[in-house]
Amino acid sequence: MAYSERSLLLRHVRGQIGKQIVIKQYCKKTVISAYPNMSGIKPSKLQKQKRSKFSDAVAYAQSIIHNPVLKAAYAKKLKKGQRVYNAAIREFLSRER
């Protein structure tokens, strides 16, 4: 893993290059690391449940934002700077507890 401070070349670069290198920003440092190999990782039962629940929340939020009437109703309830998509996910996850 390589670290860089104040690099002109990588100052605003983030993300991956192919499936080989990942470039991350932590505070004022740029970190370059190998792309993670997750092929040997098996999620636990709880992780699978949480992922399924979140997948349902995303589907719910997408159904809200694709319906102009529901999207407008949500937008009225939100403060400035909040997004309908995020609010719908938050609502779905909070009522599913």
Coordinates of all heavy atoms in Angstrom, one line a residue:
M1 N 0.9 -1.2 0.0 CA 0.0 0.0 0.0 C 0.9 1.2 0.0 O 1.9 1.3 0.8 CB -0.9 0.0 1.3 CG -1.9 1.1 1.3 SD -3.0 1.1 2.7 CE -3.1 -0.5 3.3
A2 N 0.6 2.2 -0.8 CA 1.4 3.4 -1.0 C 0.6 4.6 -0.4 O -0.6 4.6 -0.5 CB 1.8 3.6 -2.4
Y3 N 1.3 5.5 0.2 CA 0.7 6.7 0.7 C 1.3 7.9 0.0 O 2.5 7.9 -0.4 CB 1.0 6.9 2.2 CG 0.3 5.9 3.1 CD1 1.1 4.8 3.5 CD2 -1.0 6.0 3.5 CE1 0.5 3.8 4.3 CE2 -1.6 5.0 4.3 CZ -0.8 3.9 4.7 OH -1.4 3.0 5.5
S4 N 0.5 9.0 -0.2 CA 1.0 10.2 -0.8 C 0.3 11.4 -0.2 O -0.9 11.4 0.1 CB 0.7 10.1 -2.3 OG 1.0 11.4 -2.9
E5 N 1.1 12.4 0.2 CA 0.5 13.6 0.7 C 0.8 14.8 -0.3 O 1.9 14.9 -0.9 CB 1.1 14.0 2.0 CG 0.7 13.1 3.1 CD 1.3 13.5 4.5 OE1 1.4 14.8 4.7 OE2 1.6 12.7 5.3
R6 N -0.2 15.6 -0.6 CA -0.1 16.7 -1.5 C 0.4 16.4 -2.9 O 1.2 17.1 -3.5 CB 0.9 17.8 -0.9 CG 0.4 18.3 0.4 CD 1.3 19.4 0.9 NE 1.1 19.6 2.3 CZ 2.0 19.4 3.2 NH1 3.2 19.0 2.9 NH2 1.8 19.6 4.5
S7 N 0.0 15.2 -3.4 CA 0.4 14.8 -4.8 C -0.5 15.6 -5.8 O -1.7 15.6 -5.8 CB 0.1 13.3 -5.0 OG 0.3 13.0 -6.3
L8 N 0.2 16.3 -6.7 CA -0.5 17.1 -7.7 C -1.2 16.1 -8.7 O -2.2 16.4 -9.2 CB 0.5 18.0 -8.5 CG 1.0 19.1 -7.7 CD1 2.0 19.9 -8.5 CD2 -0.1 20.1 -7.2
L9 N -0.6 15.0 -9.0 CA -1.1 14.0 -9.9 C -2.3 13.3 -9.4 O -3.3 13.1 -10.2 CB 0.0 13.0 -10.2 CG -0.4 11.9 -11.3 CD1 -0.6 12.6 -12.6 CD2 0.7 10.9 -11.4
L10 N -2.4 13.0 -8.2 CA -3.5 12.2 -7.6 C -4.4 12.9 -6.7 O -5.2 12.3 -6.0 CB -3.0 10.9 -6.9 CG -2.2 10.0 -7.8 CD1 -1.6 8.9 -7.0 CD2 -3.1 9.4 -8.9
R11 N -4.3 14.2 -6.6 CA -5.0 15.0 -5.6 C -6.5 14.8 -5.6 O -7.1 14.6 -4.6 CB -4.7 16.5 -5.8 CG -5.4 17.4 -4.8 CD -5.2 18.9 -5.1 NE -3.8 19.1 -5.0 CZ -3.3 20.2 -5.5 NH1 -4.0 21.2 -6.1 NH2 -2.0 20.5 -5.4
H12 N -7.1 14.7 -6.8 CA -8.6 14.6 -6.8 C -9.0 13.3 -7.5 O -10.1 13.2 -7.9 CB -9.2 15.8 -7.6 CG -8.9 17.1 -7.0 ND1 -9.5 17.5 -5.8 CD2 -8.1 18.1 -7.3 CE1 -9.1 18.7 -5.4 NE2 -8.2 19.1 -6.4
V13 N -8.1 12.3 -7.5 CA -8.4 11.0 -8.1 C -8.9 10.1 -7.0 O -8.4 10.0 -5.9 CB -7.2 10.4 -8.7 CG1 -7.4 9.1 -9.3 CG2 -6.6 11.3 -9.8
R14 N -10.1 9.4 -7.3 CA -10.6 8.4 -6.4 C -11.2 7.3 -7.3 O -11.6 7.5 -8.4 CB -11.8 9.0 -5.6 CG -11.3 10.0 -4.6 CD -12.5 10.7 -3.9 NE -12.1 11.7 -3.0 CZ -11.8 13.0 -3.3 NH1 -11.7 13.4 -4.5 NH2 -11.4 13.8 -2.3
G15 N -11.2 6.1 -6.7 CA -11.9 5.0 -7.4 C -10.9 3.9 -7.8 O -9.8 3.8 -7.2
Q16 N -11.3 3.1 -8.7 CA -10.5 2.0 -9.1 C -10.0 2.1 -10.6 O -10.6 2.8 -11.4 CB -11.3 0.7 -9.0 CG -12.4 0.6 -10.0 CD -13.3 -0.7 -9.8 OE1 -13.4 -1.1 -8.7 NE2 -13.8 -1.2 -10.9
I17 N -8.9 1.5 -10.8 CA -8.4 1.4 -12.2 C -8.4 -0.1 -12.6 O -7.6 -0.9 -12.0 CB -6.9 2.0 -12.3 CG1 -6.9 3.4 -11.8 CG2 -6.4 1.8 -13.7 CD1 -5.5 4.0 -11.7
G18 N -9.4 -0.4 -13.4 CA -9.6 -1.8 -13.8 C -9.9 -2.6 -12.5 O -10.7 -2.1 -11.7
K19 N -9.4 -3.7 -12.4 CA -9.6 -4.5 -11.2 C -8.2 -4.8 -10.6 O -8.0 -5.9 -10.1 CB -10.4 -5.8 -11.4 CG -11.8 -5.6 -11.9 CD -12.7 -6.6 -11.3 CE -14.1 -6.3 -11.8 NZ -15.1 -6.2 -10.8
Q20 N -7.4 -3.8 -10.6 CA -6.0 -4.0 -10.1 C -5.7 -3.0 -9.0 O -5.0 -3.4 -8.1 CB -5.0 -3.8 -11.3 CG -5.2 -4.9 -12.3 CD -4.2 -4.7 -13.5 OE1 -3.5 -3.7 -13.6 NE2 -4.1 -5.7 -14.3
I21 N -6.1 -1.7 -9.2 CA -5.6 -0.7 -8.2 C -6.8 0.1 -7.7 O -7.8 0.4 -8.5 CB -4.6 0.3 -8.9 CG1 -3.4 -0.4 -9.3 CG2 -4.3 1.5 -8.0 CD1 -2.4 0.4 -10.1
V22 N -6.8 0.4 -6.4 CA -7.8 1.3 -5.8 C -7.2 2.5 -5.2 O -6.2 2.4 -4.6 CB -8.6 0.5 -4.7 CG1 -9.6 1.4 -4.1 CG2 -9.3 -0.7 -5.3
I23 N -7.7 3.7 -5.5 CA -7.2 5.0 -5.0 C -8.2 5.6 -4.1 O -9.4 5.8 -4.5 CB -6.9 5.9 -6.2 CG1 -5.9 5.3 -7.2 CG2 -6.3 7.2 -5.6 CD1 -5.7 6.0 -8.4
K24 N -7.8 5.8 -2.8 CA -8.7 6.3 -1.8 C -8.1 7.6 -1.2 O -6.9 7.8 -1.2 CB -8.9 5.3 -0.7 CG -9.3 3.9 -1.1 CD -9.2 3.0 0.1 CE -9.4 1.6 -0.4 NZ -9.2 0.6 0.7
Q25 N -9.0 8.4 -0.7 CA -8.6 9.7 0.0 C -9.0 9.6 1.5 O -10.1 9.3 1.8 CB -9.3 10.9 -0.6 CG -9.1 11.0 -2.1 CD -7.7 11.4 -2.5 OE1 -7.0 12.1 -1.7 NE2 -7.3 11.0 -3.6
Y26 N -8.0 9.7 2.4 CA -8.2 9.8 3.8 C -7.6 11.1 4.3 O -6.4 11.3 4.3 CB -7.6 8.7 4.5 CG -8.1 7.3 4.2 CD1 -7.4 6.4 3.5 CD2 -9.4 7.0 4.7 CE1 -8.0 5.1 3.2 CE2 -9.9 5.7 4.4 CZ -9.2 4.8 3.7 OH -9.7 3.6 3.4
C27 N -8.5 12.0 4.7 CA -8.1 13.4 5.1 C -7.3 14.0 4.0 O -7.8 14.2 2.9 CB -7.4 13.4 6.4 SG -8.4 12.8 7.8
K28 N -6.0 14.3 4.2 CA -5.2 14.9 3.2 C -4.3 13.9 2.5 O -3.4 14.3 1.8 CB -4.4 16.0 3.8 CG -5.3 17.2 4.2 CD -4.4 18.3 4.8 CE -5.3 19.5 5.2 NZ -4.6 20.6 5.7
K29 N -4.4 12.6 2.8 CA -3.6 11.6 2.2 C -4.3 10.8 1.1 O -5.5 10.6 1.2 CB -3.1 10.6 3.3 CG -2.2 11.2 4.3 CD -1.8 10.1 5.3 CE -0.8 10.7 6.3 NZ -0.3 9.7 7.3
T30 N -3.5 10.5 0.1 CA -4.0 9.6 -1.0 C -3.4 8.2 -0.7 O -2.2 8.1 -0.5 CB -3.5 10.1 -2.3 OG1 -4.0 11.5 -2.5 CG2 -4.1 9.3 -3.4
V31 N -4.3 7.2 -0.7 CA -3.8 5.8 -0.5 C -4.1 5.0 -1.7 O -5.2 5.0 -2.3 CB -4.6 5.2 0.7 CG1 -4.1 3.8 0.9 CG2 -4.4 6.0 2.0
I32 N -3.0 4.3 -2.2 CA -3.1 3.5 -3.4 C -2.9 2.0 -2.9 O -1.9 1.7 -2.2 CB -2.1 3.8 -4.4 CG1 -2.2 5.3 -4.8 CG2 -2.2 2.9 -5.6 CD1 -1.0 5.8 -5.6
S33 N -3.9 1.2 -3.2 CA -3.8 -0.2 -2.7 C -4.3 -1.2 -3.8 O -4.8 -0.7 -4.8 CB -4.6 -0.4 -1.5 OG -6.0 -0.2 -1.7
A34 N -4.0 -2.5 -3.6 CA -4.5 -3.5 -4.6 C -6.0 -3.6 -4.5 O -6.6 -3.4 -3.4 CB -3.8 -4.8 -4.2
Y35 N -6.6 -4.0 -5.6 CA -8.0 -4.2 -5.6 C -8.3 -5.4 -4.7 O -7.6 -6.5 -4.7 CB -8.5 -4.5 -7.0 CG -9.9 -4.6 -7.2 CD1 -10.7 -3.5 -7.5 CD2 -10.6 -5.8 -7.2 CE1 -12.1 -3.5 -7.7 CE2 -12.0 -5.9 -7.4 CZ -12.7 -4.7 -7.6 OH -14.1 -4.8 -7.8
P36 N -9.3 -5.3 -3.8 CA -9.6 -6.4 -2.9 C -10.1 -7.7 -3.5 O -10.9 -7.6 -4.5 CB -10.6 -5.8 -1.9 CG -11.3 -4.7 -2.7 CD -10.3 -4.2 -3.6
N37 N -9.6 -8.8 -3.1 CA -10.1 -10.1 -3.6 C -11.1 -10.7 -2.6 O -10.7 -11.1 -1.5 CB -8.9 -11.1 -3.8 CG -9.4 -12.4 -4.3 OD1 -10.5 -12.6 -4.6 ND2 -8.4 -13.3 -4.4
M38 N -12.4 -10.6 -2.9 CA -13.4 -11.0 -2.0 C -14.0 -12.4 -2.4 O -15.0 -12.8 -1.9 CB -14.6 -10.0 -2.0 CG -14.2 -8.6 -1.6 SD -13.5 -8.5 0.1 CE -15.0 -8.6 1.0
S39 N -13.3 -13.1 -3.3 CA -13.8 -14.4 -3.8 C -13.9 -15.5 -2.7 O -14.7 -16.4 -2.8 CB -13.0 -14.9 -5.0 OG -11.7 -15.1 -4.6
G40 N -13.0 -15.4 -1.7 CA -13.0 -16.4 -0.7 C -13.8 -16.1 0.5 O -13.9 -16.8 1.5
I41 N -14.5 -15.0 0.5 CA -15.3 -14.5 1.6 C -16.7 -15.0 1.5 O -17.4 -14.8 0.5 CB -15.3 -13.0 1.7 CG1 -13.9 -12.4 1.7 CG2 -16.1 -12.5 2.9 CD1 -13.0 -12.8 2.9
K42 N -17.2 -15.7 2.6 CA -18.6 -16.1 2.6 C -19.3 -15.3 3.7 O -18.9 -15.2 4.8 CB -18.7 -17.6 3.0 CG -18.3 -18.5 1.9 CD -18.6 -19.9 2.2 CE -18.4 -20.8 1.0 NZ -18.8 -22.2 1.3
P43 N -20.4 -14.6 3.3 CA -21.2 -13.8 4.2 C -21.9 -14.7 5.2 O -22.4 -15.8 4.9 CB -22.2 -13.0 3.4 CG -22.3 -13.8 2.1 CD -21.0 -14.5 1.9
S44 N -22.1 -14.2 6.5 CA -22.8 -15.0 7.5 C -24.3 -14.9 7.2 O -24.7 -14.1 6.3 CB -22.5 -14.4 8.9 OG -23.1 -13.1 9.0
K45 N -25.1 -15.7 7.9 CA -26.5 -15.6 7.8 C -27.1 -14.2 8.1 O -28.0 -13.7 7.4 CB -27.2 -16.6 8.7 CG -27.0 -18.1 8.3 CD -27.7 -19.0 9.2 CE -27.4 -20.5 8.8 NZ -28.1 -21.4 9.7
L46 N -26.5 -13.6 9.1 CA -27.0 -12.2 9.5 C -26.7 -11.2 8.4 O -27.5 -10.4 8.0 CB -26.4 -11.8 10.8 CG -26.9 -10.5 11.3 CD1 -28.4 -10.5 11.5 CD2 -26.2 -10.1 12.6
Q47 N -25.5 -11.4 7.8 CA -25.1 -10.5 6.7 C -26.0 -10.7 5.5 O -26.5 -9.7 4.8 CB -23.7 -10.7 6.2 CG -22.6 -10.2 7.2 CD -21.2 -10.5 6.8 OE1 -21.0 -11.7 6.4 NE2 -20.3 -9.6 6.9
K48 N -26.4 -11.9 5.2 CA -27.3 -12.2 4.1 C -28.7 -11.6 4.4 O -29.3 -11.0 3.5 CB -27.4 -13.7 3.9 CG -26.2 -14.3 3.3 CD -26.4 -15.8 3.1 CE -25.1 -16.5 2.5 NZ -25.3 -17.9 2.4
Q49 N -29.1 -11.7 5.6 CA -30.4 -11.1 6.0 C -30.4 -9.6 5.8 O -31.3 -9.0 5.3 CB -30.8 -11.4 7.4 CG -31.2 -12.9 7.6 CD -31.3 -13.2 9.1 OE1 -31.1 -12.4 10.0 NE2 -31.8 -14.5 9.4
K50 N -29.3 -8.9 6.3 CA -29.2 -7.5 6.2 C -29.1 -7.0 4.8 O -29.7 -6.0 4.4 CB -28.0 -7.0 7.0 CG -28.0 -7.3 8.5 CD -28.9 -6.3 9.2 CE -28.7 -6.6 10.7 NZ -29.5 -5.7 11.5
R51 N -28.4 -7.7 4.0 CA -28.2 -7.4 2.6 C -29.6 -7.5 1.8 O -29.9 -6.7 1.0 CB -27.2 -8.3 1.9 CG -25.8 -7.9 2.3 CD -24.8 -8.8 1.7 NE -23.4 -8.5 2.2 CZ -22.4 -9.2 1.9 NH1 -22.4 -10.2 1.1 NH2 -21.2 -8.9 2.4
S52 N -30.3 -8.6 2.2 CA -31.7 -8.7 1.6 C -32.6 -7.6 2.0 O -33.3 -7.1 1.1 CB -32.2 -10.1 2.0 OG -33.5 -10.2 1.5
K53 N -32.5 -7.3 3.2 CA -33.4 -6.2 3.8 C -33.0 -4.8 3.1 O -33.9 -4.1 2.7 CB -33.2 -6.1 5.3 CG -34.1 -5.1 6.0 CD -33.8 -5.2 7.5 CE -34.6 -4.2 8.2 NZ -34.4 -4.2 9.6
F54 N -31.7 -4.6 2.9 CA -31.3 -3.4 2.2 C -31.7 -3.4 0.8 O -32.1 -2.4 0.2 CB -29.8 -3.2 2.4 CG -29.3 -1.8 2.0 CD1 -29.5 -0.7 2.8 CD2 -28.8 -1.6 0.8 CE1 -29.2 0.6 2.5 CE2 -28.4 -0.3 0.4 CZ -28.6 0.8 1.2
S55 N -31.6 -4.5 0.1 CA -32.1 -4.7 -1.2 C -33.5 -4.3 -1.4 O -33.9 -3.6 -2.3 CB -31.8 -6.1 -1.7 OG -32.3 -6.3 -3.0
D56 N -34.3 -4.8 -0.4 CA -35.8 -4.4 -0.4 C -36.0 -2.9 -0.2 O -36.8 -2.3 -0.8 CB -36.5 -5.2 0.7 CG -36.5 -6.7 0.4 OD1 -36.3 -7.1 -0.7 OD2 -36.8 -7.5 1.4
A57 N -35.1 -2.3 0.6 CA -35.2 -0.9 0.9 C -34.9 -0.1 -0.4 O -35.5 0.9 -0.7 CB -34.3 -0.5 2.0
V58 N -33.9 -0.5 -1.1 CA -33.5 0.1 -2.4 C -34.6 0.0 -3.4 O -35.0 1.0 -4.0 CB -32.2 -0.4 -2.9 CG1 -31.9 0.0 -4.3 CG2 -31.0 -0.1 -2.0
A59 N -35.2 -1.1 -3.5 CA -36.4 -1.3 -4.4 C -37.5 -0.4 -4.0 O -38.2 0.2 -4.9 CB -36.8 -2.8 -4.4
Y60 N -37.8 -0.3 -2.7 CA -38.9 0.6 -2.2 C -38.5 2.1 -2.6 O -39.4 2.8 -3.1 CB -39.0 0.4 -0.7 CG -40.0 1.4 -0.1 CD1 -41.3 1.3 -0.2 CD2 -39.5 2.5 0.7 CE1 -42.2 2.2 0.4 CE2 -40.3 3.4 1.3 CZ -41.7 3.2 1.1 OH -42.6 4.1 1.7
A61 N -37.3 2.5 -2.3 CA -36.9 3.9 -2.6 C -37.0 4.2 -4.1 O -37.4 5.3 -4.5 CB -35.5 4.1 -2.1
Q62 N -36.6 3.2 -4.9 CA -36.7 3.4 -6.4 C -38.1 3.6 -6.8 O -38.4 4.3 -7.7 CB -36.0 2.3 -7.1 CG -34.5 2.4 -7.0 CD -33.7 1.3 -7.7 OE1 -34.3 0.3 -8.0 NE2 -32.4 1.5 -7.9
S63 N -39.0 2.8 -6.2 CA -40.4 2.9 -6.6 C -41.0 4.3 -6.2 O -41.8 4.8 -6.9 CB -41.2 1.8 -5.9 OG -41.4 2.0 -4.5
I64 N -40.5 4.8 -5.1 CA -40.9 6.2 -4.7 C -40.4 7.2 -5.7 O -41.2 8.1 -6.1 CB -40.4 6.5 -3.3 CG1 -41.0 5.5 -2.2 CG2 -40.7 7.9 -2.9 CD1 -42.5 5.7 -2.0
I65 N -39.1 7.2 -6.0 CA -38.6 8.2 -6.8 C -39.1 8.1 -8.3 O -39.0 9.1 -9.0 CB -37.1 8.3 -6.8 CG1 -36.4 7.1 -7.3 CG2 -36.6 8.6 -5.4 CD1 -34.9 7.2 -7.5
H66 N -39.6 7.0 -8.7 CA -40.1 6.9 -10.1 C -41.6 7.2 -10.2 O -42.1 7.2 -11.3 CB -39.8 5.4 -10.6 CG -38.4 5.2 -10.9 ND1 -37.5 4.6 -10.1 CD2 -37.7 5.5 -12.0 CE1 -36.3 4.6 -10.6 NE2 -36.4 5.1 -11.8
N67 N -42.2 7.5 -9.0 CA -43.6 7.9 -9.0 C -43.7 9.4 -8.7 O -43.4 9.7 -7.5 CB -44.4 7.1 -8.0 CG -45.9 7.4 -8.0 OD1 -46.3 8.5 -8.3 ND2 -46.6 6.4 -7.6
P68 N -43.9 10.3 -9.6 CA -43.9 11.7 -9.4 C -44.8 12.2 -8.2 O -44.4 13.1 -7.5 CB -44.4 12.3 -10.7 CG -44.2 11.3 -11.7 CD -44.3 10.0 -11.0
V69 N -45.9 11.6 -8.0 CA -46.8 12.0 -6.9 C -46.2 11.6 -5.6 O -46.2 12.5 -4.7 CB -48.2 11.3 -7.1 CG1 -49.1 11.6 -5.9 CG2 -48.9 11.7 -8.4
L70 N -45.8 10.4 -5.4 CA -45.1 10.0 -4.2 C -43.9 10.8 -3.9 O -43.6 11.1 -2.7 CB -44.9 8.5 -4.2 CG -46.1 7.6 -4.1 CD1 -45.7 6.1 -4.2 CD2 -46.9 7.8 -2.9
K71 N -43.1 11.0 -4.9 CA -41.8 11.7 -4.8 C -42.1 13.2 -4.3 O -41.4 13.6 -3.4 CB -41.1 11.8 -6.1 CG -39.7 12.4 -6.0 CD -38.9 12.3 -7.3 CE -37.5 13.0 -7.1 NZ -36.8 12.9 -8.3
A72 N -43.1 13.8 -4.8 CA -43.5 15.2 -4.4 C -44.0 15.2 -2.9 O -43.6 16.1 -2.2 CB -44.5 15.7 -5.3
A73 N -44.7 14.1 -2.6 CA -45.2 14.0 -1.2 C -44.1 13.9 -0.2 O -44.1 14.5 0.9 CB -46.2 12.9 -1.1
Y74 N -43.1 13.1 -0.6 CA -41.9 12.9 0.3 C -41.1 14.2 0.4 O -40.6 14.6 1.4 CB -41.0 11.8 -0.3 CG -41.2 10.5 0.4 CD1 -42.2 9.6 0.0 CD2 -40.3 10.1 1.4 CE1 -42.3 8.4 0.6 CE2 -40.5 8.9 2.0 CZ -41.5 8.0 1.6 OH -41.6 6.8 2.3
A75 N -40.9 14.9 -0.8 CA -40.1 16.1 -0.8 C -40.7 17.2 0.1 O -39.9 17.9 0.6 CB -40.0 16.6 -2.3
K76 N -42.0 17.2 0.2 CA -42.6 18.2 1.1 C -42.2 18.0 2.6 O -42.1 19.0 3.3 CB -44.1 18.2 1.0 CG -44.7 18.7 -0.3 CD -46.2 18.7 -0.3 CE -46.7 19.1 -1.7 NZ -48.2 19.0 -1.7
K77 N -42.0 16.8 3.0 CA -41.7 16.4 4.3 C -40.2 16.7 4.7 O -39.9 16.7 5.9 CB -42.0 15.0 4.7 CG -43.5 14.6 4.6 CD -43.8 13.2 5.1 CE -43.3 12.2 4.0 NZ -43.7 10.8 4.4
L78 N -39.4 16.8 3.7 CA -37.9 16.9 3.9 C -37.4 18.3 4.1 O -38.0 19.2 3.6 CB -37.2 16.2 2.7 CG -37.5 14.8 2.5 CD1 -36.8 14.3 1.3 CD2 -37.2 13.9 3.7
K79 N -36.3 18.4 4.8 CA -35.6 19.6 5.0 C -34.8 19.9 3.8 O -34.5 19.0 3.0 CB -34.7 19.6 6.2 CG -35.5 19.4 7.5 CD -34.5 19.3 8.7 CE -35.2 19.0 10.0 NZ -34.3 18.8 11.1
K80 N -34.3 21.1 3.6 CA -33.5 21.5 2.5 C -32.2 20.7 2.5 O -31.6 20.5 3.6 CB -33.2 23.0 2.6 CG -32.4 23.5 1.4 CD -32.1 25.0 1.5 CE -31.3 25.4 0.3 NZ -31.0 26.8 0.3
G81 N -31.9 20.2 1.4 CA -30.6 19.4 1.2 C -30.8 17.9 1.4 O -29.9 17.1 1.1
Q82 N -32.0 17.5 1.9 CA -32.2 16.1 2.1 C -32.8 15.5 0.8 O -33.4 16.2 0.0 CB -33.2 15.8 3.2 CG -32.6 16.1 4.6 CD -33.6 15.8 5.7 OE1 -34.8 16.0 5.5 NE2 -33.1 15.3 6.8
R83 N -32.5 14.2 0.5 CA -32.9 13.6 -0.7 C -34.0 12.6 -0.5 O -34.0 11.9 0.5 CB -31.8 12.9 -1.4 CG -30.7 13.9 -1.8 CD -29.5 13.2 -2.4 NE -28.5 14.2 -2.6 CZ -27.7 14.2 -3.7 NH1 -27.9 13.3 -4.6 NH2 -26.8 15.1 -3.9
V84 N -35.0 12.5 -1.4 CA -36.1 11.6 -1.3 C -35.7 10.2 -1.2 O -36.1 9.4 -0.4 CB -37.1 11.8 -2.5 CG1 -38.2 10.8 -2.5 CG2 -37.7 13.2 -2.4
Y85 N -34.7 9.8 -2.1 CA -34.2 8.4 -2.1 C -33.7 8.0 -0.7 O -34.0 6.9 -0.2 CB -33.1 8.3 -3.2 CG -32.5 7.0 -3.3 CD1 -33.1 6.0 -4.1 CD2 -31.3 6.7 -2.7 CE1 -32.5 4.7 -4.2 CE2 -30.7 5.4 -2.9 CZ -31.3 4.5 -3.6 OH -30.8 3.2 -3.8
N86 N -32.8 8.8 -0.1 CA -32.2 8.5 1.2 C -33.3 8.4 2.3 O -33.3 7.6 3.1 CB -31.2 9.5 1.6 CG -30.0 9.4 0.6 OD1 -29.9 8.5 -0.2 ND2 -29.1 10.4 0.7
A87 N -34.3 9.4 2.2 CA -35.3 9.4 3.2 C -36.2 8.1 3.1 O -36.6 7.6 4.1 CB -36.2 10.6 3.0
A88 N -36.5 7.7 1.9 CA -37.3 6.5 1.7 C -36.6 5.3 2.2 O -37.2 4.4 2.8 CB -37.6 6.3 0.2
I89 N -35.3 5.2 2.0 CA -34.5 4.0 2.5 C -34.5 4.1 4.0 O -34.7 3.0 4.7 CB -33.1 4.0 2.0 CG1 -33.1 3.6 0.5 CG2 -32.2 3.1 2.8 CD1 -31.7 3.6 -0.2
R90 N -34.3 5.2 4.6 CA -34.3 5.4 6.1 C -35.6 5.0 6.6 O -35.7 4.2 7.6 CB -33.9 6.8 6.5 CG -33.9 7.0 7.9 CD -33.4 8.4 8.3 NE -34.0 9.5 7.5 CZ -33.3 10.3 6.7 NH1 -32.0 10.1 6.5 NH2 -33.9 11.2 6.0
E91 N -36.7 5.4 6.0 CA -38.1 5.1 6.5 C -38.3 3.6 6.4 O -38.8 3.0 7.4 CB -39.1 5.8 5.7 CG -40.5 5.4 6.1 CD -41.6 5.9 5.1 OE1 -41.5 7.1 4.7 OE2 -42.5 5.2 4.8
F92 N -37.9 3.0 5.3 CA -38.2 1.5 5.1 C -37.4 0.7 6.2 O -37.9 -0.2 6.8 CB -37.7 1.1 3.7 CG -38.0 -0.4 3.4 CD1 -39.2 -0.7 2.9 CD2 -37.1 -1.3 3.7 CE1 -39.5 -2.1 2.6 CE2 -37.3 -2.7 3.4 CZ -38.5 -3.0 2.9
L93 N -36.1 1.1 6.4 CA -35.3 0.3 7.4 C -35.8 0.6 8.8 O -35.7 -0.3 9.6 CB -33.8 0.7 7.2 CG -33.2 0.3 5.9 CD1 -31.8 0.8 5.8 CD2 -33.2 -1.2 5.7
S94 N -36.3 1.8 9.1 CA -36.7 2.0 10.5 C -38.0 1.3 10.8 O -38.2 0.9 12.0 CB -36.8 3.5 10.7 OG -37.9 4.1 10.0
R95 N -38.9 1.1 9.9 CA -40.2 0.5 10.2 C -40.0 -1.0 10.1 O -40.9 -1.7 10.6 CB -41.2 0.9 9.2 CG -41.1 0.4 7.8 CD -42.2 0.8 6.9 NE -42.0 0.3 5.6 CZ -42.7 0.7 4.6 NH1 -43.7 1.5 4.7 NH2 -42.4 0.2 3.4
E96 N -38.9 -1.5 9.6 CA -38.7 -3.0 9.5 C -38.1 -3.6 10.8 O -37.8 -4.7 10.8 CB -37.9 -3.3 8.3 CG -38.6 -3.1 7.0 CD -39.6 -4.1 6.7 OE1 -39.4 -5.3 7.0 OE2 -40.7 -3.7 6.2
R97 N -37.8 -2.8 11.8 CA -37.1 -3.3 12.9 C -37.9 -4.2 13.8 O -38.9 -4.4 14.0 CB -36.6 -2.1 13.8 CG -35.5 -1.4 13.1 CD -35.0 -0.3 14.0 NE -33.9 0.4 13.3 CZ -33.3 1.5 13.7 NH1 -33.6 1.9 14.9 NH2 -32.4 2.0 13.0

